[in-house]
Amino acid sequence: MLTSRTFLKRTRAGAVRKIVREHYLRDDIGCGLGGCALCGGESRPALEARPGGAASSLCPGPHFLLPDTNLLLHQIDILEDPVITNVIILQTVLQEVRNRSAPVYKRIKDVINKQEKHFYSFTNEHHKDTYIEQEKGENSNDRNDRAIRVAVKWYSEHLQKLQMEEKVQIILLTNDRKNKEKAVEEGITAYTCEEYIKSLIANPELVDRLASLNDEGNEIETGRIIFAEHLPLSKLQQGIKSNLYLQGTFRANRENYLEATVWIHGDGEEKEIIIQGLRNLNRAVHEDIVAVELLPKAAWAAPSSVVLHDDENQNEDDVEQEEEKEKSLRTSSSNSMLRPTGRVVGIIKRNWRPFCGMLSKSQIKEARRHLFTPADRRIPRIRIETRQASTLEGQRIIVAIDGWPRNSRYPNGHFVKNLGAAGDKETETEVLLLEHDVPHQPFSQSVLSFLPKMPWSITDQDMKCREDLRHLCVCSVDPPGCTDIDDALHCRVLENGNLEVGVHIADVSHFIRPGNALDQESAKRGTTVYLCEKRIDMVPELLSSNLCSLRSNVDRLAFSCIWEMNHSAEILKTRFTKSVINSKASLTYAEAQMKIDSPSMNDDITTSLRGLNKLARILKKCRIDNGALTLSSPEVRFHMDSETHDPIDLQTKELKETNSMVEEFMLLANISVAQKIYDEFSEHALLRKHPAPPPSNYDILVKAAKSKGLEIKTDSAKALADSLDSAEFPSFPYLNTLLRILATRCMMQAVYFCSGMDNDFHHYGLASPIYTHFTSPIRRYADIIVHRLLAVAIGADCTYPDLTDKHKLADLCRNLNYRHKMAQYAQRASVAFHTQLFFKSKGVVNEEAYILFVRKNAIVVLIPKYGLEGTVFFEEKDKPKPTLLYNDEVPSLTVESTTFYTFDRVTVNIMLDASNVQHQKIRMALVEPKLVGTSVPSQATQLNSNNEPKKKKLKE
């Protein structure tokens, strides 16, 4: 059956065009009920013939639920709960949800695909009995509500015709008062979500998961207005167009909850606007897209260097106290320090997500309202209603924000899920993965279905387009315990006296074909995430640790980059080929170093390693002479207890010459491949660049070096590299490392980009005009794309549309940059958590440290022994405040009569501060030099020869 709609449309040229839209209606769309005798369609039965589910006091008999659009959008947490089953989702509702919220649409599609939930998607817009036309004068919202009611009535009549033993009801769930009233008039059973959930006899805990939608009902009793009203979207768009307002991304300050910055979106250079004070922040939440009004220049402020955390003991609606704190932000600043300052006038797009954290239980007995404190300090506390407060205390939970009324100090939200006890290793790992948006769910069956069937072996077909390099003396060099081996190397002398060097990379793109579910999942994950005790793979383990991993003594598919070089490491020829290799050894860096250094070892592998090492030294010298930077960043390694898996030792990673050897050839391969794919695909090459930092980034480094009588030049990477090389103090050898650590902090983030969308390709840190990532396809999706581009360039594989679409490549790069950044943050959070575990068992220790940064009320120090950074505060609660004098120019901080400069050596006392379960932290206090009232006595903790605190009692 065909229905059509005709309308007239005026073209840009002014002509009138007649448009006919055809809409097909069918009579073979099934109801989704198992064993339905009336439905002739081949629908997959999803609904149970006799619906079970939770017992309800409102509808005691068997029933199906049918939610409307707004209910699905706002109560998705309820619908996802295992208790809620046998739900009919209409096409009308799905289409509206898809247009309004992509995340909710994905979540409901996932629920529909879970067979045990018995959710059925009914195509009512193409069913001949449920499709309706929009009536004259009826808006689309009212038409959709009517379509939902028509579908409910059709289902009710359809079930009656089946003459089932027990009557089965259809319940419309809607929070729309008008829709509910009309439904009841039409004889439809309809309830609000709250009415239905509260009627579930055996599941009172579900009430906690209800989203609180009526702001008026959840406002604090005082009714006092705290915040200005947000302007409607139409006014905001008008204001942005006329430059009255600016649009940007709201970034809350982790260290100061009364300050934020808004990064303004624009064609030109990104600019930053400071927002200070509760009322000016006006209910914006971290990562929201907001509209900002600039304040007059007289009201501009300087970024505050005060650390302010939202005090959990504070009266939650004490706005006067907030105003007192705001005054502390306004310090007298020179005009050069002032920055454009503004206030939030409206929200363009909320970017709320479910937040992990802990419940701060109300002191009022039997109270249902409590405050939730998120783990991320950039997120405000959230008011929720729950009856489970006693159970949830001390647990890590997930909470979602529902709204933020004008007269409430905090937003309203609802409880979503209990993750487990705070401090538990599994729970804390889950929290840091969720908080950093790391996809970590097990690979789905649809993804796993694209893996090769085992047992797998290389076929004759595979060999046709590959070079057989199994005769070469190839070996891999990796960290200890590495199972995802991406790369292997070889070096041999050719007959003409030159050297042949090969970098062989796992051929992951052979197994992951474009566009399938495995490819899509790998692209979404973007990178493997390495935590202290766990690895979140980008690709399934069968590939990462087996078929793609270049393990020793097994045949593996590879993509090889082979150079002919002279003994001065000058490249004479470069070629790329798909290959088959058989690695002769999987070595650790230490094992490879031992082979190179041992005079008694002269086997083929050792000879190859020595040749590689000799060339690597020359390559490194050339790079550094060209201006490549050698920076420093303290990396730590934990030694775990084999039974408890708790950290028992913490050391900075020791880098050997073999680390540098492997790095040099990986860099060379990446540069060679970058040039090749750019030559072939000038518009579609996926490259990586490292922008030069703006001069102001170097201020802190230049000033710190100057305080020690050293000059650091920052005109170019070469000038910086030379300055760092010459910045030596014989009496203070660690100073050079500190300068390099500080220089690392001045750098910009390296990013992926598409060559057709940018014209600045330079990699500042490597001093290379072009660069990409080719050498780690098991753990980086960017490398898989580069492999595909290179394969097409050498005629080893065919292209596909998305590979040569620069806009799609640019979108992919955006996701990869985001995933890499989040993976980095997750790894740091994992190190921080394991460091806390280490010091929890270690007790209190005193260690030598160096000052990295000087703040207004604190110093930030680095402890070389542990690669650990921490803050020593000079102001403490309930203690007399010392006299502090901060000098930004030097920079220095004078506490009473003692002055601290960057790079000064101090002794600090390290301990775990567990007073705040949610935000446990390593606390540092000054031991040397001694300060009256702020230093900790060095004898407070006596250390034995093993650097362990002495026990008060001997073990019995």
Side-chain angles (χ1 to χ4, degrees):
M1 183 179 163
L2 181 71
T3 178
S4 61
R5 203 154 59 91
T6 307
F7 58 93
L8 302 175
K9 186 181 177 183
R10 190 179 292 279
T11 65
R12 280 184 178 178
V16 175
R17 183 180 290 168
K18 185 179 181 181
I19 309 280
V20 178
R21 286 261 166 88
E22 293 180 336
H23 189 85
Y24 289 87
L25 300 178
R26 297 166 56 171
D27 57 6
D28 61 347
I29 295 171
C31 66
L33 195 67
C36 177
L38 298 174
C39 292
E42 290 292 311
S43 70
R44 174 177 67 85
L47 303 168
E48 291 179 294
R50 190 191 180 282
S56 164
S57 58
L58 281 175
C59 28
H63 56 272
F64 294 115
L65 300 174
L66 198 151
D68 72 358
T69 307
N70 281 324
L71 192 130
L72 201 153
L73 277 168
H74 299 297
Q75 305 292 356
I76 183 69
D77 290 322
I78 291 282
L79 294 172
E80 283 177 328
D81 195 280
V83 168
I84 306 298
T85 58
N86 288 291
V87 177
I88 299 158
I89 307 291
L90 298 180
Q91 182 190 2
T92 308
V93 171
L94 263 183
Q95 283 174 342
E96 269 200 276
V97 168
R98 187 178 190 172
N99 291 335
R100 287 168 64 181
S101 173
V104 174
Y105 178 74
K106 187 189 178 302
R107 285 170 71 181
I108 196 64
K109 288 292 280 184
D110 288 344
V111 174
I112 291 167
N113 289 331
K114 286 182 183 172
Q115 290 184 11
E116 69 275 14
K117 288 282 284 173
H118 301 291
F119 272 50
Y120 179 63
S121 174
F122 178 58
T123 320
N124 65 309
E125 293 290 353
H126 288 279
H127 193 291
K128 67 179 181 63
D129 296 330
T130 56
Y131 172 74
I132 60 165
E133 293 275 1
Q134 189 168 342
E135 292 175 352
K136 200 173 181 182
E138 185 179 46
N139 65 35
S140 57
N141 193 42
D142 289 342
R143 181 260 167 209
N144 289 346
D145 283 347
R146 189 162 58 87
I148 292 167
R149 295 195 299 273
V150 166
V152 173
K153 283 192 276 188
W154 178 85
Y155 258 105
S156 297
E157 290 162 10
H158 186 76
L159 293 176
Q160 277 176 357
K161 287 176 193 172
L162 284 173
Q163 296 178 341
M164 298 162 95
E165 287 178 25
E166 197 174 357
K167 189 187 173 188
V168 178
Q169 271 186 298
I170 299 285
I171 310 290
L172 172 63
L173 291 182
T174 177
N175 286 335
D176 184 325
R177 186 170 48 83
K178 197 171 146 191
N179 194 20
K180 189 186 170 194
E181 284 170 2
K182 285 192 176 176
V184 173
E185 279 172 24
E186 294 170 21
I188 294 169
T189 307
Y191 299 116
T192 65
C193 191
E194 190 174 350
E195 286 169 344
Y196 179 76
I197 295 302
K198 284 183 175 176
S199 79
L200 300 181
I201 302 156
N203 304 93
E205 76 286 350
L206 260 187
V207 174
D208 288 356
R209 301 188 71 178
L210 281 168
S212 58
L213 300 174
N214 181 8
D215 281 345
E216 284 73 43
N218 287 285
E219 285 178 2
I220 50 173
E221 281 72 18
T222 61
R224 177 183 170 189
I225 301 297
I226 301 171
F227 299 104
E229 195 171 354
H230 286 151
L231 297 178
L233 196 58
S234 56
K235 275 195 176 177
L236 295 178
Q237 286 167 338
Q238 253 179 337
I240 290 163
K241 230 177 189 177
S242 62
N243 292 326
L244 181 63
Y245 308 132
L246 297 164
Q247 177 177 323
T249 305
F250 183 88
R251 302 265 166 84
N253 186 331
R254 201 187 297 273
E255 297 301 332
N256 186 341
Y257 74 101
L258 291 175
E259 184 172 276
T261 50
V262 174
W263 286 85
I264 301 304
H265 307 161
D267 303 326
E269 199 179 317
E270 278 203 331
K271 59 179 176 178
E272 190 182 76
I273 290 176
I274 292 174
I275 314 288
Q276 283 185 352
L278 195 66
R279 288 182 171 83
N280 288 341
L281 296 171
N282 197 6
R283 297 171 287 156
V285 176
H286 183 64
E287 292 294 340
D288 282 350
I289 307 298
V290 299
V292 173
E293 180 182 46
L294 268 181
L295 297 177
K297 276 199 174 180
W300 284 13
S304 169
S305 51
V306 176
V307 176
L308 272 184
H309 293 152
D310 194 358
D311 186 1
E312 290 192 21
N313 302 316
Q314 179 186 324
N315 179 342
E316 62 182 77
D317 292 302
D318 191 347
V319 181
E320 282 78 8
Q321 198 170 335
E322 304 292 359
E323 287 168 357
E324 281 302 310
K325 287 184 181 179
E326 282 174 30
K327 284 176 188 171
S328 71
L329 302 183
R330 301 183 200 115
T331 52
S332 55
S333 306
S334 63
N335 286 341
S336 63
M337 297 289 288
L338 298 178
R339 298 281 181 273
T341 307
R343 66 184 186 97
V344 174
V345 292
I347 309 292
I348 291 160
K349 188 190 173 204
R350 287 289 193 191
N351 274 324
W352 293 341
R353 58 177 174 84
F355 301 106
C356 301
M358 292 179 75
L359 196 70
S360 306
K361 195 179 166 193
S362 171
Q363 301 302 309
I364 303 165
K365 202 180 176 187
E366 292 186 24
R368 285 190 188 173
R369 275 190 189 176
H370 308 272
L371 279 176
F372 162 83
T373 306
D376 187 343
R377 288 192 184 276
R378 294 169 300 187
I379 307 301
R381 289 193 279 164
I382 302 162
R383 185 185 283 109
I384 67 167
E385 284 198 30
T386 177
R387 303 157 190 238
Q388 310 174 61
S390 301
T391 314
L392 297 178
E393 208 174 4
Q395 302 285 299
R396 290 281 196 179
I397 63 173
I398 297 179
V399 162
I401 297 179
D402 300 322
W404 196 338
R406 287 175 61 201
N407 59 352
S408 172
R409 168 69 182 80
Y410 298 110
N412 295 325
H414 66 272
F415 166 75
V416 175
K417 188 182 177 184
N418 185 356
L419 294 172
D424 173 74
K425 234 186 295 185
E426 286 299 312
T427 304
E428 295 301 333
T429 301
E430 178 74 6
V431 168
L432 75 87
L433 290 171
L434 288 167
E435 280 298 293
H436 296 99
D437 195 17
V438 174
H440 60 285
Q441 64 285 357
F443 290 99
S444 68
Q445 275 313 118
S446 62
V447 168
L448 297 174
S449 67
F450 286 96
L451 291 174
K453 303 292 174 274
M454 296 300 285
W456 174 86
S457 61
I458 297 170
T459 64
D460 292 341
Q461 186 64 35
D462 293 333
M463 293 301 296
K464 274 185 183 175
C465 55
R466 290 179 184 272
E467 242 183 273
D468 191 343
L469 303 179
R470 286 176 287 191
H471 61 285
L472 294 176
C473 187
V474 171
C475 68
S476 62
V477 185
D478 290 283
C482 179
T483 59
D484 52 343
I485 303 169
D486 286 289
D487 54 87
L489 301 150
H490 89 270
C491 176
R492 63 173 179 164
V493 181
L494 297 172
E495 288 178 5
N496 62 7
N498 289 330
L499 297 167
E500 179 186 85
V501 175
V503 166
H504 311 278
I505 305 299
D507 190 4
V508 182
S509 62
H510 173 84
F511 297 97
I512 300 180
R513 302 308 296 164
N516 67 24
L518 176 56
D519 183 47
Q520 288 170 4
E521 182 65 22
S522 305
K524 178 187 153 195
R525 294 185 178 219
T527 180
T528 292
V529 181
Y530 295 91
L531 306 181
C532 292
E533 267 194 290
K534 196 174 185 175
R535 190 179 81 200
I536 314 295
D537 281 328
M538 181 185 82
V539 299
E541 193 177 13
L542 179 65
L543 296 183
S544 67
S545 296
N546 187 351
L547 302 185
C548 291
S549 184
L550 304 182
R551 302 188 302 186
S552 55
N553 304 313
V554 286
D555 292 350
R556 286 291 177 257
L557 301 179
F559 210 149
S560 300
C561 174
I562 299 168
W563 303 278
E564 185 179 329
M565 292 181 174
N566 61 25
H567 289 264
S568 302
E570 291 166 339
I571 297 170
L572 308 173
K573 283 182 193 168
T574 306
R575 67 189 181 90
F576 306 98
T577 179
K578 291 250 182 175
S579 61
V580 179
I581 65 164
N582 186 302
S583 172
K584 303 301 180 276
S586 299
L587 305 171
T588 64
Y589 290 116
E591 288 166 348
Q593 193 67 53
M594 192 179 71
K595 279 181 174 289
I596 291 167
D597 295 342
S598 173
S600 61
M601 299 188 89
N602 290 298
D603 56 277
D604 289 348
I605 291 171
T606 306
T607 306
S608 177
L609 286 169
R610 285 182 184 141
L612 289 166
N613 200 40
K614 185 184 167 193
L615 292 169
R617 284 176 188 161
I618 301 167
L619 289 169
K620 186 171 184 177
K621 186 180 181 304
C622 289
R623 272 198 318 109
I624 290 168
D625 289 347
N626 286 336
L629 296 170
T630 309
L631 300 176
S632 184
S633 175
E635 282 191 76
V636 296
R637 179 180 294 284
F638 292 95
H639 294 273
M640 301 294 183
D641 185 293
S642 56
E643 288 180 17
T644 64
H645 296 285
D646 284 339
I648 51 174
D649 197 11
L650 171 60
Q651 296 172 338
T652 48
K653 286 184 187 173
E654 187 190 344
L655 296 179
K656 300 192 178 294
E657 196 177 21
T658 43
N659 290 77
S660 177
M661 175 190 81
V662 173
E663 184 188 11
E664 285 308 316
F665 287 107
M666 296 307 115
L667 292 174
L668 191 62
N670 286 335
I671 292 166
S672 298
V673 170
Q675 195 59 60
K676 177 69 177 174
I677 61 171
Y678 178 63
D679 290 345
E680 293 290 331
F681 305 101
S682 59
E683 289 287 295
H684 317 115
L686 191 153
L687 302 175
R688 187 164 174 83
K689 67 172 181 176
H690 181 214
S696 59
N697 277 29
Y698 287 123
D699 286 354
I700 194 155
L701 173 67
V702 171
K703 285 177 182 176
K706 196 176 175 184
S707 72
K708 295 293 175 198
L710 297 169
E711 187 185 5
I712 299 288
K713 293 183 177 171
T714 60
D715 315 347
S716 65
K718 176 87 174 105
L720 176 62
D722 291 345
S723 298
L724 290 170
D725 286 343
S726 60
E728 294 286 352
F729 249 63
S731 60
F732 186 3
Y734 196 66
L735 176 66
N736 193 264
T737 305
L738 289 169
L739 283 166
R740 290 180 194 277
I741 289 169
L742 214 51
T744 307
R745 309 292 171 90
C746 302
M747 294 299 135
M748 304 290 282
Q749 191 79 35
V751 289
Y752 296 111
F753 68 102
C754 173
S755 59
M757 305 291 278
D758 209 326
N759 48 24
D760 174 21
F761 295 4
H762 191 74
H763 196 293
Y764 180 80
L766 297 173
S768 175
I770 194 164
Y771 191 67
T772 193
H773 272 162
F774 163 75
T775 55
S776 295
I778 295 177
R779 61 185 178 89
R780 290 189 306 231
Y781 188 76
D783 302 52
I784 293 177
I785 295 293
V786 169
H787 276 227
R788 289 174 183 168
L789 288 163
L790 184 61
V792 176
I794 64 168
D797 207 343
C798 50
T799 187
Y800 58 98
D802 284 7
L803 194 65
T804 52
D805 184 329
K806 63 182 181 182
H807 296 287
K808 287 196 174 167
L809 270 177
D811 288 341
L812 176 67
C813 288
R814 269 191 287 276
N815 179 57
L816 295 179
N817 291 331
Y818 170 71
R819 291 292 176 207
H820 277 261
K821 184 172 70 174
M822 288 295 114
Q824 224 174 21
Y825 292 163
Q827 282 155 215
R828 284 179 202 163
S830 180
V831 168
F833 174 63
H834 280 79
T835 306
Q836 288 168 14
L837 287 180
F838 171 70
F839 282 105
K840 190 176 184 178
S841 60
K842 185 95 173 156
V844 184
V845 294
N846 293 342
E847 286 295 344
E848 182 184 80
Y850 294 95
I851 298 175
L852 269 187
F853 302 103
V854 176
R855 303 279 187 238
K856 275 189 177 176
N857 59 347
I859 54 173
V860 179
V861 299
L862 174 75
I863 296 156
K865 181 176 177 180
Y866 299 125
L868 180 66
E869 209 175 294
T871 307
V872 177
F873 289 97
F874 294 110
E875 292 178 335
E876 287 190 55
K877 263 187 183 178
D878 309 321
K879 284 194 178 178
K881 289 188 178 180
T883 307
L884 302 177
L885 187 63
Y886 175 68
N887 184 340
D888 181 47
E889 285 305 310
V890 176
S892 67
L893 176 67
T894 303
V895 185
E896 297 296 343
S897 57
T898 307
T899 303
F900 296 92
Y901 297 94
T902 311
F903 305 142
D904 279 1
R905 187 165 65 182
V906 294
T907 304
V908 294
N909 178 274
I910 314 164
M911 62 176 285
L912 177 69
D913 179 1
S915 58
N916 181 333
V917 184
Q918 163 105 292
H919 294 118
Q920 289 192 22
K921 61 186 177 205
I922 301 297
R923 188 173 170 175
M924 296 189 186
L926 194 69
V927 176
E928 292 283 344
K930 288 186 173 63
L931 297 175
V932 180
T934 57
S935 292
V936 174
S938 54
Q939 60 268 35
T941 308
Q942 294 179 342
L943 302 178
N944 62 22
S945 58
N946 295 322
N947 209 25
E948 289 282 339
K950 283 191 176 174
K951 303 282 186 288
K952 288 184 182 175
K953 281 169 103 178
L954 291 171
K955 284 187 180 175
E956 292 174 10

